[in-house]
Amino acid sequence: MDKNFSVSGFGSLAVHGGHKQDPMYAHQVPIYASSTYVYDTAEQGMRRFSGKEEGYIYSRWGNPTMTEAEEKIAALETFSVKDKNGSALEAKGILHSSGMAAISTLMLSTLKPGDKILTHFSLYGGTDELLEKILPSLNITAEIIDLRNLDKAEAAIKKGDIKMLYLETPANPTIQCVDLEELCKLAKQYNVLVACDNTFASPYLQQPFRYGADFVIHSTTKFLNGHGTAIGGILLGRDIGLMKGHVTKVHRLLGGNSNPFDAFLLIQGIKTLELRMGRHCSNAMEVAGFLEKHPAIAKVNYAGLVSHPDHAIAKKQMRYSGGMLSFELKKGLQAGIDFMNKLKMCVRTVSLGTCDTLLSHPASMSHAGISKEQRNKYGITDGLIRMNVGIENVQDIMADLEQALK
């Protein structure tokens, strides 16, 4: 897209954002399947390595296909967002091999021994294990509280050893939502960094930068790709100098880079993000209402339901309520096993964000590495089922659920 032309719609940006005309006039961005890049002269190579000249060196450090994906997602996360001076906000994105690689780069580039992370209940299982099992060996620890209670959050931050507020909203798999605006205000008051995992919402439904977040993370495997064809992650930051400097250095040394083929698949998926998310959300709202009335269901967690404790927060900061929900079966674990085994159209698998409806059992799958005591504390019971509501005909989705619940 011509940099001198601006678009007014999110869907247009999803299609055209980050795209630069290929020198050979290919319509789509090519898959640049090259590990390294050549220089016109030895002097040019020296300038690139020294940072005096922009350009590609080695695909672990950057690749044209990966750059388009980075710039497209950065454009979507900052679409119509202003900085404190009223100018259009800019952000720098770094594409990774997975969401966990992006989170690892974030933690290791911004935290040092003795720092503490303040976060909340019900995080993605991999993130929780990183905080509990890996970072403590580096003397980086986490304090976990209910961040929906702002008084508790301020009391924890006031102690003075919190360096980062790490948020995930809606959270996995309980769909808990925290107030981005109020927590970002609180963090800025005490000079604390704010990072937000925006995977469940996608930039179409929610933009954490709008409320003052410093970093945004996605598992691009999920709604951004949308088709379950490639693993990936992205770390975005609003401090361009920091992102291009220290964060980029840490990313390159950790080696969690993406690759051109997965980036190409991601770019194609993002083009239909607005269309897909609209259908995911409308289907999820209808399915949540159906499940809430079903006699076999004890509880439904969906931010779009008035019964959800965080409904008002979600309504304030999300365009729609998302495509993710979870529900508890009255008869616990065995009921969950029986239900999962009876599904005919809906798919039994982990992950989320694909066009088809996916169901998983967090206690034995995504959160299996977390103790039962912690899971129960976080609301991840043995009878909890997580559901990615797909874009199929909603009547077919509900018919499959109905027959499986009998």
Side-chain angles (χ1 to χ4, degrees):
M1 184 173 70
D2 190 321
K3 65 180 179 180
N4 297 315
F5 183 78
S6 61
V7 298
S8 59
F10 184 96
S12 300
L13 198 61
V15 173
H16 298 288
H19 183 67
K20 297 177 179 65
Q21 182 61 60
D22 174 64
M24 300 305 292
Y25 295 94
H27 171 210
Q28 302 291 349
V29 59
I31 300 170
Y32 283 88
S34 179
S35 60
T36 192
Y37 300 85
V38 299
Y39 321 112
D40 292 332
T41 64
E43 289 82 1
Q44 184 185 52
M46 293 167 65
R47 290 194 300 272
R48 288 193 181 177
F49 270 89
S50 68
K52 292 178 181 178
E53 178 180 303
E54 291 282 334
Y56 296 102
I57 297 171
Y58 186 56
S59 277
R60 176 163 60 84
W61 291 18
N63 173 286
T65 318
M66 289 148 58
T67 297
E68 178 160 328
E70 291 169 343
E71 293 184 355
K72 188 182 289 291
I73 297 169
L76 296 178
E77 279 290 1
T78 58
F79 179 60
S80 77
V81 179
K82 304 294 183 183
D83 63 18
K84 62 183 178 181
N85 299 316
S87 302
L89 180 70
E90 293 185 4
K92 163 70 176 169
I94 303 174
L95 202 62
H96 286 68
S97 56
S98 67
M100 287 307 303
I103 294 170
S104 298
T105 294
L106 167 71
M107 300 299 187
L108 295 176
S109 63
T110 59
L111 302 172
K112 62 183 186 301
D115 285 342
K116 184 178 280 188
I117 303 161
L118 183 64
T119 189
H120 57 103
F121 300 122
S122 186
L123 295 175
Y124 167 60
T127 307
D128 192 275
E129 289 197 74
L130 178 68
L131 297 178
E132 295 284 340
K133 299 177 180 178
I134 304 298
L135 293 181
S137 66
L138 303 175
N139 196 23
I140 298 169
T141 56
E143 182 175 348
I144 300 174
I145 64 171
D146 188 346
L147 288 178
R148 294 172 296 180
N149 186 322
L150 295 174
D151 291 334
K152 282 186 178 180
E154 184 167 17
I157 292 173
K158 267 185 175 179
K159 288 186 267 184
D161 55 355
I162 301 297
K163 178 66 181 291
M164 176 182 288
L165 191 58
Y166 185 88
L167 311 175
E168 185 181 296
T169 182
N172 183 3
T174 59
I175 320 300
Q176 291 176 359
C177 299
V178 298
D179 193 320
L180 287 171
E181 184 174 22
E182 293 303 318
L183 287 168
C184 285
K185 281 181 186 175
L186 188 60
K188 296 310 160 194
Q189 186 180 339
Y190 293 95
N191 198 31
V192 170
L193 294 171
V194 179
C196 182
D197 184 335
N198 202 30
T199 299
F200 267 32
S202 86
Y204 179 61
L205 301 183
Q206 178 176 271
Q207 295 168 303
F209 285 135
R210 185 179 299 279
Y211 304 102
D214 298 290
F215 300 98
V216 174
I217 308 103
H218 286 273
S219 168
T220 61
T221 313
K222 314 303 193 301
F223 287 110
L224 287 173
N225 173 287
H227 297 81
T229 55
I231 302 292
I234 191 166
L235 170 62
L236 303 115
R238 64 193 301 155
D239 185 332
I240 305 298
L242 177 65
M243 290 297 293
K244 286 187 173 181
H246 183 62
V247 177
T248 287
K249 186 71 170 177
V250 172
H251 161 65
R252 290 174 176 177
L253 291 174
L254 290 176
N257 56 282
S258 181
N259 66 81
F261 183 64
D262 285 354
F264 175 82
L265 295 172
L266 173 60
I267 290 164
Q268 305 315 311
I270 292 172
K271 292 180 180 182
T272 60
L273 179 63
E274 182 179 25
L275 293 173
R276 289 185 286 104
M277 291 309 297
R279 183 64 172 257
H280 280 298
C281 293
S282 62
N283 278 0
M285 188 72 236
E286 199 162 344
V287 168
F290 159 76
L291 289 171
E292 193 172 41
K293 296 173 184 175
H294 200 284
I297 305 298
K299 180 183 179 183
V300 178
N301 302 307
Y302 183 62
L305 294 174
V306 177
S307 59
H308 192 288
D310 307 325
H311 174 71
I313 292 174
K315 195 171 182 179
K316 180 175 84 166
Q317 64 197 25
M318 295 177 69
R319 188 193 299 260
Y320 304 113
S321 300
M324 296 299 300
L325 59 85
S326 60
F327 56 92
E328 286 187 42
L329 293 155
K330 286 182 178 177
K331 295 184 179 180
L333 179 61
Q334 190 57 50
I337 293 170
D338 293 341
F339 165 77
M340 294 283 282
N341 285 338
K342 289 179 183 176
L343 293 170
K344 297 183 183 298
M345 181 187 79
C346 301
V347 183
R348 294 177 292 271
T349 189
V350 293
S351 200
L352 57 108
T354 61
C355 295
D356 44 344
T357 297
L358 311 181
L359 291 102
S360 67
H361 181 240
S364 65
M365 296 178 181
S366 59
H367 292 69
I370 301 168
S371 70
K372 184 173 181 177
E373 181 184 5
Q374 275 188 298
R375 289 200 306 268
N376 288 336
K377 184 179 178 181
Y378 300 164
I380 306 168
T381 63
D382 283 347
L384 188 73
I385 302 294
R386 190 187 74 181
M387 184 174 185
N388 166 78
V389 183
I391 65 172
E392 304 100 331
N393 179 286
V394 72
Q395 297 300 326
D396 289 330
I397 297 172
M398 291 189 295
D400 194 18
L401 296 177
E402 176 62 51
Q403 66 81 26
L405 286 167
K406 283 182 181 177

